Amino acid sequence: MSQVPQIRIPATYMRGGTSKGVFFKLTDLPEAAQVPGEARDRLLMRVIGSPDPYQKQIDGMGGATSSTSKTVILSKSESPDHDVDYLFGQVSIDKAFVDWSGNCGNLSAAVGPFAISNGLVDPARIPENGEAEVRIWQANIGKTIVSRVPIRDGEVQETGDFELDGVTFPAAEVPVAFKDPADGEGAIFPTGNLVDELEVPGVGTLKATLINAGIPTVFLNADELGYTGTELQEAINGDAAALEKFETIRAHGAVKMGLIKEVAEAAARQHTPKVAFVAPPADYLASSGKQVKADDIDLVVRALSMGKLHHAMMGTAAVAIASAAAIEGTLVNLVAGGGKRNAVTFGHPSGSLRVGAEASLVDGRWVIDEAVMSRSARVLMEGWVRVPGDSF
């Protein structure tokens, strides 16, 4: 019988926005996992409880959804213009891989609070009371995020009365600004078009806005897919044929965006791109039973993450929504009523969210100066995670 001792690793379990993840300081990881590679991936998968053919992650910290199968590694930044380097790993639930291809916008709200509480931010930058500005280098996509963390009596304030649809209890508000959020070094619109004709074998030709802001996203019109845009999770996630169709669309969108060369490569890139469908504002009941009124929103959006309809909205996808809405002529802008706008309120399965973005045309190319939204964050548990010593 194999009797390998468990090792323990300092870790913090945090909620950020509508996501949860296990946070680590880079220097607390075992030496083999302090650098990218197989050892790190195997360790993080074991922490989360993947790969799990049962898709429950019972033997790990994951919650068996894309929103809760997440890991974060933080370290003091080597750049004088940033306080902390932030690396995000989306752990596949049933397959043996960690996707490092994008950011998690929701957990971005937890980075600043964690960094302050764990000594990664210069104490001179933290007021006794007020807000601490935390300059974050998002290492996955090479972009800057600025978080404003509320401080009381020299410590992070976590409780408050800010309410976020998709999160049951109120908490302190954490505004997060994504600077120049186009993913990587490419253009915001990889094809050069605000709207493309996306040919998908077995599905047809669909109008699509392919945008690279916050996270690469394929936006579609809900009515072209046979939806109203007010669907809740069970309407999509219980339909195997629909999920297969969306994955096929996602794969062909990824090829058209230049993220992969062949459709088959999409299976190893589950985190990006996202697929979302949009429709004009409409009344509907959110998953909590809350009434969302058409008069209170500009549009409705539904997005898929890791092959399933998201229960609310991914933070990075919210950045993509804000960015697309700010540019006249995209599908998102058109269903929101068209025209120039720097903010929208959209309905999602758990309620609604207001996001803003500033767009400008520079030398014939669109640039998003920044996208802003408010989230909240809270430590749920801290101490150590334990994994068998042969996990990595």
Side-chain angles (χ1 to χ4, degrees):
M1 178 182 294
S2 175
Q3 295 186 358
V4 178
Q6 290 213 98
I7 64 169
R8 64 182 196 172
I9 304 167
T12 302
Y13 196 46
M14 293 193 74
R15 177 186 64 77
T18 56
S19 291
K20 292 191 292 188
V22 183
F23 281 61
F24 300 96
K25 288 172 64 175
L26 176 65
T27 52
D28 285 336
L29 292 175
E31 186 175 353
Q34 290 186 18
V35 294
E38 182 180 356
R40 173 182 287 179
D41 287 4
R42 289 178 59 194
L43 172 66
L44 297 180
M45 285 189 288
R46 195 67 173 91
V47 166
I48 294 297
S50 293
D52 182 4
Y54 304 108
Q55 300 189 41
K56 298 290 186 261
Q57 293 178 325
I58 294 297
D59 198 26
M61 296 295 293
T65 69
S66 67
S67 301
T68 55
S69 189
K70 298 174 180 282
T71 57
V72 170
I73 301 173
L74 299 177
S75 58
K76 281 190 175 182
S77 182
E78 297 180 359
S79 163
D81 297 326
H82 298 87
D83 300 298
V84 60
D85 291 344
Y86 159 39
L87 186 65
F88 168 69
Q90 177 77 55
V91 180
S92 176
I93 296 170
D94 59 345
K95 297 179 176 62
F97 76 93
V98 181
D99 196 330
W100 301 100
S101 65
N103 178 32
C104 175
N106 276 296
L107 290 187
S108 297
V111 171
F114 178 95
I116 291 171
S117 298
N118 286 270
L120 298 178
V121 177
D122 183 351
R125 293 182 49 79
I126 304 168
E128 183 67 16
N129 291 285
E131 284 186 337
E133 181 182 88
V134 181
R135 304 162 302 175
I136 301 162
W137 178 249
Q138 213 303 315
N140 299 76
I141 59 174
K143 294 294 178 179
T144 297
I145 300 171
V146 177
S147 174
R148 304 194 70 84
V149 181
I151 303 294
R152 178 173 292 181
D153 297 330
E155 296 186 352
V156 173
Q157 176 190 337
E158 296 181 291
T159 58
D161 56 8
F162 174 73
E163 295 186 352
L164 179 64
D165 285 341
V167 178
T168 305
F169 304 107
E173 181 177 4
V174 181
V176 183
F178 299 81
K179 305 291 186 179
D180 182 22
D183 187 21
E185 299 299 327
I188 288 178
F189 299 104
T191 65
N193 303 317
L194 301 183
V195 178
D196 279 285
E197 298 289 324
L198 181 62
E199 296 182 10
V200 184
V203 177
T205 301
L206 305 169
K207 290 182 179 178
T209 288
L210 309 174
I211 192 168
N212 221 356
I215 200 163
T217 306
V218 178
F219 285 109
L220 308 164
N221 283 322
D223 58 1
E224 283 198 74
L225 300 167
Y227 296 119
T228 64
T230 60
E231 287 78 11
L232 301 184
Q233 279 189 300
E234 55 268 23
I236 306 293
N237 294 345
D239 186 341
L243 293 178
E244 183 178 355
K245 178 172 73 173
F246 278 116
E247 180 58 21
T248 302
I249 293 170
R250 193 184 76 87
H252 283 82
V255 172
K256 197 168 184 71
M257 294 180 81
L259 299 173
I260 57 177
K261 293 182 179 179
E262 303 289 341
V263 168
E265 296 174 33
R269 191 186 173 107
Q270 291 186 346
H271 185 50
T272 57
K274 303 300 187 189
V275 174
F277 52 97
V278 299
D283 295 337
Y284 66 95
L285 279 179
S287 56
S288 64
K290 174 183 177 180
Q291 177 73 49
V292 179
K293 297 181 180 180
D295 290 344
D296 296 334
I297 57 177
D298 299 298
L299 73 160
V300 290
V301 190
R302 299 296 185 263
L304 285 88
S305 178
M306 302 292 283
K308 297 290 181 68
L309 187 73
H310 196 273
H311 71 100
M313 183 56 61
M314 305 81 80
T316 47
V319 172
I321 292 165
S323 301
I327 297 173
E328 294 182 64
T330 69
L331 295 186
V332 178
N333 174 269
L334 292 172
V335 299
K340 184 172 178 58
R341 55 182 64 234
N342 57 20
V344 290
T345 300
F346 64 88
H348 57 74
S350 292
S352 62
L353 178 67
R354 182 175 176 81
V355 292
E358 294 289 343
S360 54
L361 196 59
V362 179
D363 297 329
R365 294 178 64 175
W366 283 103
V367 174
I368 303 297
D369 302 312
E370 72 171 16
V372 181
M373 62 182 171
S374 283
R375 284 295 198 252
S376 60
R378 188 171 74 86
V379 172
L380 304 179
M381 182 179 290
E382 56 189 351
W384 300 269
V385 291
R386 294 182 183 245
V387 294
D390 61 354
S391 296
F392 57 97

